[in-house]
Amino acid sequence: MIQRFIELGEGYSDLYELLELTDANQHRLQHMLALNTKIDDKERTSLVVVLKPTDPGKFQALYICREGVPNPNFIPNKRYDLFAAAAEKHGKKIHELSVKPSTIFYEKELYYQHLIGILRLNHYLLPLQ
């Protein structure tokens, strides 16, 4: 199985694409995640939509708006509210995790590998088969 992050942006106008993906793929929607972190003393959140693996092909997409949304636990904001409304609409709970910021990784790909490991460890992603 291939599990890969697909970065849409940082959560500004691309958030609407993420929300559209939840609607268009509601039959494959597995999880909705909020990955909280701190960058330069600012509390930030990455919003993630995890889809069920394709069949055939066993490709699991994780769409992400990386670290552009203020953490709603510190600063309530409309962008997170839209994501929360989409989760409610599709009967999903937003799972929150605290993670390291992408800025401490030399490459974004290393950051995404780190996140995939965390998500597997917490059983949000299936182990490789």
Side-chain angles (χ1 to χ4, degrees):
M1 178 178 331
I2 297 170
Q3 297 162 326
R4 184 168 300 139
F5 275 93
I6 300 169
E7 186 173 321
L8 299 175
E10 295 181 350
Y12 298 99
S13 60
D14 49 278
L15 173 65
Y16 296 102
E17 180 65 18
L18 186 68
L19 298 175
E20 188 64 31
L21 283 165
T22 63
D23 289 341
N25 292 290
Q26 57 187 317
H27 62 288
R28 289 185 54 215
L29 188 59
Q30 188 171 24
H31 298 295
M32 294 178 76
L33 309 171
L35 306 179
N36 301 319
T37 193
K38 191 174 197 172
I39 302 173
D40 298 329
D41 295 326
K42 293 181 182 175
E43 299 290 338
R44 309 305 292 173
T45 296
S46 296
L47 301 176
V48 181
V49 170
V50 180
L51 299 182
K52 294 175 185 170
T54 60
D55 187 27
K58 300 298 180 194
F59 177 83
Q60 187 168 27
L62 296 92
Y63 290 95
I64 185 169
C65 292
R66 184 177 49 91
E67 299 169 337
V69 177
N71 185 331
N73 298 315
F74 294 89
I75 302 170
N77 62 86
K78 183 68 174 168
R79 288 182 280 161
Y80 186 86
D81 292 345
L82 290 170
F83 189 72
E88 185 175 332
K89 174 181 173 182
H90 298 296
K92 297 293 181 185
K93 179 181 184 289
I94 297 175
H95 302 282
E96 288 192 53
L97 295 167
S98 294
V99 298
K100 294 179 182 179
S102 65
T103 55
I104 68 168
F105 292 85
Y106 183 70
E107 295 176 351
K108 261 196 288 187
E109 209 47 50
L110 294 173
Y111 173 65
Y112 289 137
Q113 288 174 5
H114 171 74
L115 291 181
I116 285 172
I118 290 171
L119 296 176
R120 281 187 193 142
L121 189 66
N122 286 282
H123 303 286
Y124 292 118
L125 294 179
L126 297 171
L128 292 179
Q129 296 178 2

